[in-house]
Amino acid sequence: MADRRQVLRFGAVAAAAPALAGAASAPAWAGGHGHGGGRTKPLVVGHRGASGYRPEHTLASYELAARLGADYLEPDLVITKDGVLVCRHEPEIGGTTDVASRPEFAGRKRTVVLDGVSVTGWWTQDFTLAELKTLRAVERIPAIRQRNTVYDGYFEVPTFQEMLDLRKRLSKELGRDLGVFPETKHPTFFRGIGLELEKPLVRTLRRNGLDKRGAKVFIQSFEAANLRDLADDHRIEVPLVFLSSAAGSPFNDPRPYADYLTAAGLKELSEFIDGIGPEKGQIIPRKADGTLGTPTSLVTDAHAAGIKVIPYTFRAENSFLPAELRVGADVAAYGKSIDEQVTFLRTGIDGLFTDNPDIGVLARDLV
């Protein structure tokens, strides 16, 4: 039987396309907050790594994304009881780790009000880093990505610093400067329990020489107030990206996302942010029958305000695709995801978040 270290290493690179060491790497946006600079080649952002092929937010997923040609790797950041930033999609980890099968942590399960919604599970803020490191990642959507479940139980929950160390090593190996696109998850919630995300994030970036103009780092958040705080109070130097949803509003913010994305709202945002990350339906909405409709004016409006546009999330499976691009009736089967990404890239977007970075790279080359 293979040594466990060999298995872990194989999990990071198996089934990958040949290493794209010579791939051109798109530059960071220049010009400071609110001045995104001129048009550059659209970015391919490895959404939670290469989460279409490996359990999300693992070093294996990030490494595969880099080897498949992603320009940027995206870690979602939450925090432990002892104040360490770790990479998880949410602070609740019942669906992304094996914690539910660990009897020693059965008593940690509890209900928490997260951004106004009661959620029951296990929470990173109830674990020290040492305890969290005993857990192993699992596939978040096994019904859709059954093949990813073969890697369940092999990979740790990485710290943000470990992810940055991997980025540094792979940049050297692949001969291109890999970017990192961290998202602060639920910053108001964490601040309310005395575990703010901003200070450790800024401290970690500066310790790694990554908070400076030209560094390949973007910070993203669904909370405009969080981004303004990073710009005004922490004097962060790297570009900031405001994420939006097709409905609702940022937590504890009476202003809906739709208002932020009007021409007037975008002009106001441009004072302290450099890009927006809208849900892709805000770029091309779907019609009642599930097919793609007519593109909105959001890309044009954002560019007029000097703001770049990188929508989310592009995935290969039928369940995530517009009706006309699905192939067959199996929701887990691959559809015409290349066609979808080409269609969106032709609207003039400045990049895309994708679970399948190799598809994103190919789609970009086809436009």
Side-chain angles (χ1 to χ4, degrees):
M1 180 177 290
D3 180 270
R4 183 177 180 85
R5 289 171 296 180
Q6 291 176 312
V7 172
L8 295 179
R9 176 67 176 171
F10 180 76
V13 298
L20 300 176
S25 186
W29 300 330
H33 303 311
H35 301 282
R39 176 75 173 163
T40 60
K41 184 169 68 171
L43 303 177
V44 173
V45 182
H47 184 245
R48 310 175 195 172
S51 53
Y53 309 120
R54 298 291 184 274
E56 65 189 32
H57 294 307
T58 58
L59 293 183
S61 183
Y62 298 137
E63 179 168 351
L64 184 55
R67 295 187 183 282
L68 291 175
D71 301 303
Y72 281 73
L73 311 176
E74 189 226 18
D76 292 336
L77 300 180
V78 295
I79 198 164
T80 66
K81 183 178 182 179
D82 46 348
V84 181
L85 293 177
V86 294
C87 304
R88 288 289 89 188
H89 176 49
E90 293 287 345
E92 199 290 301
I93 54 174
T96 60
T97 73
D98 61 358
V99 66
S101 68
R102 299 296 186 92
E104 67 269 32
F105 296 128
R108 304 281 178 95
K109 187 177 184 180
R110 65 188 180 102
T111 300
V112 168
V113 178
L114 178 66
D115 291 359
V117 179
S118 293
V119 180
T120 300
W122 290 262
W123 302 85
T124 59
Q125 66 267 23
D126 294 333
F127 290 76
T128 64
L129 178 62
E131 291 172 328
L132 206 60
K133 281 294 188 180
T134 68
L135 304 177
R136 292 295 178 268
V138 300
E139 171 56 39
R140 184 177 60 86
I141 46 174
I144 298 295
R145 292 176 172 164
Q146 192 274 333
R147 290 183 178 181
N148 284 11
T149 64
V150 72
Y151 302 104
D152 286 357
Y154 284 102
F155 306 125
E156 293 182 353
V157 174
T159 67
F160 184 41
Q161 182 60 56
E162 289 170 338
M163 185 269 178
L164 292 178
D165 291 341
L166 174 69
R167 171 242 173 221
K168 183 177 181 180
R169 175 176 66 80
L170 290 174
S171 291
K172 183 176 181 180
E173 178 185 336
L174 299 176
R176 57 192 179 93
D177 189 19
L178 288 166
V180 60
F181 214 129
E183 178 185 346
T184 56
K185 300 294 292 194
H186 307 286
T188 297
F189 165 78
F190 277 116
R191 190 179 304 111
I193 60 173
L195 289 169
E196 68 170 293
L197 302 177
E198 293 87 353
K199 285 183 179 179
L201 170 58
V202 173
R203 184 170 59 245
T204 302
L205 290 176
R206 288 175 177 164
R207 185 173 63 237
N208 287 271
L210 292 173
D211 180 28
K212 59 185 179 182
R213 292 170 63 88
K216 294 194 66 176
V217 177
F218 304 137
I219 299 175
Q220 56 178 329
S221 176
F222 277 97
E223 297 183 20
N226 172 230
L227 296 173
R228 187 179 284 279
D229 178 59
L230 286 166
D232 294 345
D233 295 343
H234 293 277
R235 301 293 181 182
I236 199 78
E237 292 290 328
V238 297
L240 302 175
V241 175
F242 178 54
L243 302 172
S244 70
S245 176
S249 61
F251 177 66
N252 206 30
D253 184 342
R255 188 174 182 180
Y257 287 115
D259 188 54
Y260 278 108
L261 299 189
T262 62
L266 289 165
K267 183 177 180 180
E268 179 184 336
L269 282 173
S270 71
E271 296 173 2
F272 63 97
I273 64 104
D274 305 271
I276 56 172
E279 193 277 323
K280 64 185 181 181
Q282 295 176 282
I283 305 295
I284 307 178
R286 294 188 188 180
K287 296 185 286 189
D289 63 358
T291 60
L292 288 176
T294 302
T296 69
S297 65
L298 182 55
V299 175
T300 300
D301 293 344
H303 287 171
I307 292 174
K308 303 291 189 180
V309 184
I310 303 184
Y312 67 90
T313 303
F314 293 88
R315 297 175 165 117
E317 294 88 359
N318 280 327
S319 59
F320 303 112
L321 291 170
E324 73 272 32
L325 298 181
R326 296 170 192 162
V327 177
D330 182 357
V331 296
Y334 279 12
K336 297 180 180 180
S337 55
I338 298 172
D339 292 3
E340 181 196 34
Q341 294 186 32
V342 166
T343 299
F344 275 81
L345 286 165
R346 285 177 175 161
T347 67
I349 60 176
D350 302 284
L352 45 80
F353 289 91
T354 175
D355 289 4
N356 310 85
D358 52 337
I359 294 176
V361 170
L362 177 57
R364 180 176 62 187
D365 289 344
L366 292 173
V367 175

